[in-house]
Amino acid sequence: MSWTGKIIGGAIGMVAGPVGAIVGAAIGHQFDVSQERQRLHGHTNRSQAQQSFFEATFLVMGHLAKADGQVSKQEIKLAEAVMDHMQLSSQLRQSAIKLFTQGKDSNFNFEPILNTLYQNCAGDSDMMRMFLEFQLQIALSDGAIAPAEEAILQRICQCLSISRFQYQALKIAVEAYTRMGTEQRYRSSSRSRQSSQPSTYDAYTVLGVSPNASDKEIEKAYRRGISQNHPDKLAAKGLPDEMIKLATEKTRKIREAYEIISASRKS
């Protein structure tokens, strides 16, 4: 129970006397009821957003994976890696697999699913961008985006109100931090002491800035990237709890890119 309204009512009563106390109590009660409704409504909206995001992610992943006629080993491995990274419970993993399989059906129509996602997330640009990033990763998992996959990605953008410019910029950035992740895995498994830091070019691309950008512009791009992808912020907007680790990984790559650029400019 909220005590905010009771405090408001008491304050009115202290100023206005006995009659004011009655009026204040009524106003305070209505305030508490309103606050409680907003709290419950917010919780419901977040739950709906989480469920929509989870379902749409794996349904569309499956549809994209089958877009070029067959599901590649790389696409299956990436979908499994996403599930592993999310540390899904046995029940949720089975749900994700079922959704992925359902999405592979040739008659599957993903647009109503995306329309529901857009509505439940109130069209939030950060959430829509995060969703598109997951789909870009599955499309790029076998090295290149096939024409059929490109057509689906364009339709996704239309459903989620993502402009062609935003899509192209995001695709380039995803390609860059995918390379950074690949290089990092190579460094972990290799005993070579050769310089193996991700390229400065990829670092600029991850931040979405030109190598000619000023230090101030780079810092601004870095702060914007961290803000847009901050795990706590996305969680509050409805990103499923199981996917928070993926958002955390994204912010880590953004931070790494900024550090690489900063170091290169000091040398």
Side-chain angles (χ1 to χ4, degrees):
M1 177 182 292
S2 171
W3 288 93
T4 308
K6 311 300 183 293
I7 294 171
I8 293 172
I12 293 173
M14 288 176 65
V15 174
V19 176
I22 296 173
V23 175
I27 293 173
H29 175 69
Q30 288 301 318
F31 182 87
D32 285 340
V33 169
S34 175
Q35 290 290 95
E36 184 67 9
R37 283 177 181 167
Q38 288 181 21
R39 186 187 67 79
L40 292 174
H41 182 64
H43 179 73
T44 301
N45 284 350
R46 183 171 179 270
S47 297
Q48 289 176 338
Q50 288 179 321
Q51 183 175 350
S52 291
F53 200 101
F54 183 89
E55 291 178 356
T57 294
F58 289 103
L59 281 167
V60 179
M61 270 189 174
H63 191 64
L64 262 175
K66 193 67 182 291
D68 55 0
Q70 62 179 1
V71 182
S72 70
K73 290 182 180 179
Q74 291 91 336
E75 288 165 334
I76 293 174
K77 283 182 68 176
L78 178 63
E80 291 176 342
V82 170
M83 296 177 200
D84 290 341
H85 203 55
M86 290 167 66
Q87 296 182 341
L88 298 180
S89 65
S90 176
Q91 184 178 359
L92 279 178
R93 190 181 184 90
Q94 287 303 312
S95 295
I97 293 171
K98 186 176 180 179
L99 290 165
F100 187 85
T101 303
Q102 184 181 337
K104 291 191 297 180
D105 191 295
S106 58
N107 295 319
F108 174 70
N109 180 11
F110 63 82
E111 291 189 8
I113 302 295
L114 293 186
N115 291 338
T116 300
L117 171 67
Y118 189 85
Q119 291 172 5
N120 287 341
C121 292
D124 183 83
S125 59
D126 292 338
M127 291 288 285
M128 300 303 99
R129 184 171 46 251
M130 180 64 71
F131 178 84
L132 180 58
E133 285 189 36
F134 288 151
Q135 305 312 320
L136 278 167
Q137 288 180 41
I138 196 79
L140 287 163
S141 61
D142 51 5
I145 297 178
E149 292 173 326
E150 180 68 27
I152 291 173
L153 288 166
Q154 293 289 346
R155 285 172 62 198
I156 291 172
C157 290
Q158 291 172 4
C159 290
L160 303 184
S161 297
I162 296 172
S163 71
R164 184 176 292 272
F165 174 79
Q166 290 173 318
Y167 167 66
Q168 292 298 335
L170 192 58
K171 181 165 65 172
I172 293 170
V174 170
E175 288 172 340
Y177 65 69
T178 297
R179 285 193 298 270
M180 287 176 67
T182 301
E183 291 167 0
Q184 200 166 49
R185 287 192 296 274
Y186 171 78
R187 293 200 303 274
S188 299
S189 60
S190 174
R191 295 181 181 181
S192 171
R193 293 194 177 185
Q194 294 178 348
S195 175
S196 52
Q197 197 172 44
S199 72
T200 306
Y201 173 79
D202 283 342
Y204 279 110
T205 305
V206 166
L207 293 188
V209 294
S210 163
N212 296 324
S214 67
D215 290 348
K216 188 171 290 187
E217 289 171 330
I218 290 168
E219 183 175 357
K220 184 178 179 180
Y222 163 69
R223 294 187 183 282
R224 181 174 61 247
I226 292 294
S227 174
Q228 290 175 342
N229 297 281
H230 197 285
D232 292 342
K233 181 179 178 180
L234 291 173
K237 291 180 176 182
L239 187 70
D241 295 338
E242 296 80 13
M243 294 183 176
I244 295 301
K245 288 187 177 181
L246 303 179
T248 302
E249 178 70 10
K250 173 79 181 294
T251 56
R252 186 192 64 75
K253 288 178 180 177
I254 291 172
R255 190 171 292 111
E256 181 182 5
Y258 180 68
E259 290 171 353
I260 290 169
I261 293 171
S262 298
S264 71
R265 293 196 165 206
K266 290 178 182 176
S267 59

